[in-house]
Amino acid sequence: MSAAALWLPMTSNQEDFFRDYLKMLANIVILSLLISVSLAFWIVSMTASTYYGNIRPISPWRWLFSVAVPVVIATQGFKKRSLDHSGALAGLVVGFILTVANYSFFTSLLVFFVTSSKLTKWKKDIKKRIDSEYKEGGQRNWLQVFCNGGIPTELAILYMIESGPGEIPIDFTKYYTASWMCLSLLGALACSAGDTWASEIGSVMSKSKPRLITTWKQVPVGTNGGVTLVGLLSSFLGGMAVGIAYYITQLVFVSDLDVSAPQWPIIVFGAAAGLLGSILDSYLGATMQYSGFDKNTSMVVNYQTRDCQHISGKPILDNNAVNLFSSLLVALVFPAVALCFWPRH
């Protein structure tokens, strides 16, 4: 009797329970893998430090912090629907690598994630009426997480290979390569923050219509490549917020600041990366991302339909690709610019 019952169709409640059970098992397996990989990082770090003698090992406390804190943040992000299931798992990977590499990387990422999540939910009723792709809670999936955090993650790994885990002052005289990587990572995060702040604040706070960055003609709200004064100012402040987080962490954790180059330009660099990264993102969006006005929904859409009137751009890149290319270009170019102006000790 019981064996025959196994073949009976499941009720909707049973299906929901079974689905939740599988998700719980998947979370346990992935969390176990994350802990195992992070422990492997620590063992490799200790071995390399012992063998080479010039690489700082990962302390047990840093390893524990790098595992526990990203787990808590990703869990909260998932509960508050800032991340979906795949986005939370991707956030764990990005968060662990950036945290174990440098606490300044972690705080910069944290400020970007928290402020972006809050701003995405801010005035959501207005955004639902102007954004055809608005998600309830602004849930980010794994692709969005990696398009914004992939470049910083790769740079954090290269940073650990170059100088080992730990915090150092940005000083091109003493730490040329590591300083370059730090500014590249900061520039990428500031670019992402600036673009998010610009789109989330400018779309609802600007009293004037956006203008297409390539032609300066007025376009509907939500058009890729449309800029406003409020949006540009917001991108400046978003990048500055990331720079301030990095700077404060440097003051707390770096011990030899008195014999190193001044660190205050980090704030200026972050603000400039946020502003110019947003402008670059807008230019790519205006030229390589399709925008059209759908007459049925009276909204701007990113895909072609029969009743859609073309506004700007070609269907070459989507929003995730635009974000990725923008952060990559900023990460490559901005350290070279900073090198020319960075004060020497």
Side-chain angles (χ1 to χ4, degrees):
M1 194 75 172
S2 59
L6 293 175
W7 295 98
L8 293 176
M10 290 190 295
T11 65
S12 59
N13 290 334
Q14 289 175 325
E15 289 180 355
D16 291 340
F17 174 79
F18 186 67
R19 190 181 300 109
D20 292 339
Y21 182 73
L22 288 179
K23 285 185 178 180
M24 182 186 70
L25 288 179
N27 289 336
I28 294 174
V29 171
I30 293 173
L31 184 60
S32 301
L33 288 174
L34 179 65
I35 294 175
S36 301
V37 171
S38 64
L39 183 60
F41 262 85
W42 181 55
I43 294 174
V44 169
S45 172
M46 295 295 294
T47 304
S49 175
T50 303
Y51 184 78
Y52 293 104
N54 60 346
I55 299 178
R56 289 174 292 181
I58 301 175
S59 70
W61 288 113
R62 177 181 288 270
W63 174 80
L64 182 62
F65 182 86
S66 302
V67 173
V69 175
V71 167
V72 172
I73 295 172
T75 302
Q76 289 299 312
F78 179 69
K79 288 182 178 179
K80 294 182 178 181
R81 304 188 68 181
S82 297
L83 300 167
D84 68 6
H85 197 259
S86 65
L89 297 177
L92 280 177
V93 177
V94 174
F96 167 72
I97 293 176
L98 265 66
T99 306
V100 78
N102 190 316
Y103 289 148
S104 297
F105 299 170
F106 162 72
T107 55
S108 300
L109 176 66
L110 180 63
V111 166
F112 162 60
F113 172 68
V114 172
T115 59
S116 299
S117 299
K118 294 291 185 182
L119 288 173
T120 301
K121 299 175 184 178
W122 181 60
K123 294 185 180 293
K124 61 180 181 180
D125 293 334
I126 299 177
K127 292 172 181 174
K128 286 180 181 178
R129 297 197 298 265
I130 61 177
D131 187 356
S132 61
E133 297 184 354
Y134 182 82
K135 294 181 180 178
E136 187 67 35
Q139 283 188 318
R140 290 171 170 81
N141 57 30
W142 69 271
L143 184 59
Q144 291 168 310
V145 170
F146 279 128
C147 284
N148 285 294
I151 301 299
T153 300
E154 183 176 358
L155 288 167
I157 294 174
L158 293 175
Y159 170 85
M160 285 192 287
I161 294 174
E162 170 67 23
S163 61
E167 295 68 48
I168 62 169
I170 295 180
D171 189 334
F172 286 100
T173 303
K174 297 167 60 176
Y175 310 102
Y176 180 83
T177 304
S179 296
W180 188 287
M181 293 176 183
C182 289
L183 287 180
S184 290
L185 187 144
L186 173 61
L189 288 176
C191 170
S192 298
D195 175 59
T196 303
W197 281 45
S199 59
E200 300 297 343
I201 297 177
S203 61
V204 296
M205 289 298 292
S206 179
K207 298 185 185 295
S208 60
K209 280 190 174 183
R211 291 183 179 272
L212 195 64
I213 195 170
T214 52
T215 63
W216 214 242
K217 293 181 179 179
Q218 287 190 341
V219 290
V221 177
T223 301
N224 296 308
V227 297
T228 63
L229 182 60
V230 174
L232 292 175
L233 178 60
S234 300
S235 67
F236 181 85
L237 295 176
M240 180 181 289
V242 173
I244 290 173
Y246 196 109
Y247 174 69
I248 292 175
T249 312
Q250 292 287 91
L251 296 182
V252 174
F253 288 101
V254 179
S255 58
D256 57 342
L257 290 179
D258 55 329
V259 293
S260 302
Q263 300 297 289
W264 61 263
I266 291 173
I267 301 176
V268 179
F269 178 86
L275 174 61
L276 296 182
S278 176
I279 293 174
L280 177 61
D281 188 281
S282 298
Y283 180 80
L284 290 175
T287 56
M288 306 186 74
Q289 192 174 359
Y290 179 86
S291 293
F293 187 78
D294 193 326
K295 298 177 182 178
N296 293 328
T297 61
S298 298
M299 287 184 178
V300 175
V301 295
N302 298 325
Y303 49 86
Q304 295 173 301
T305 64
R306 182 176 299 176
D307 298 321
C308 188
Q309 181 181 357
H310 178 260
I311 300 174
S312 64
K314 298 179 180 179
I316 300 175
L317 303 176
D318 63 4
N319 192 59
N320 294 323
V322 168
N323 292 338
L324 178 62
F325 279 113
S326 298
S327 61
L328 176 60
L329 290 173
V330 170
L332 290 174
V333 173
F334 255 69
V337 177
L339 177 62
C340 301
F341 298 99
W342 205 269
R344 302 298 193 269
H345 179 68

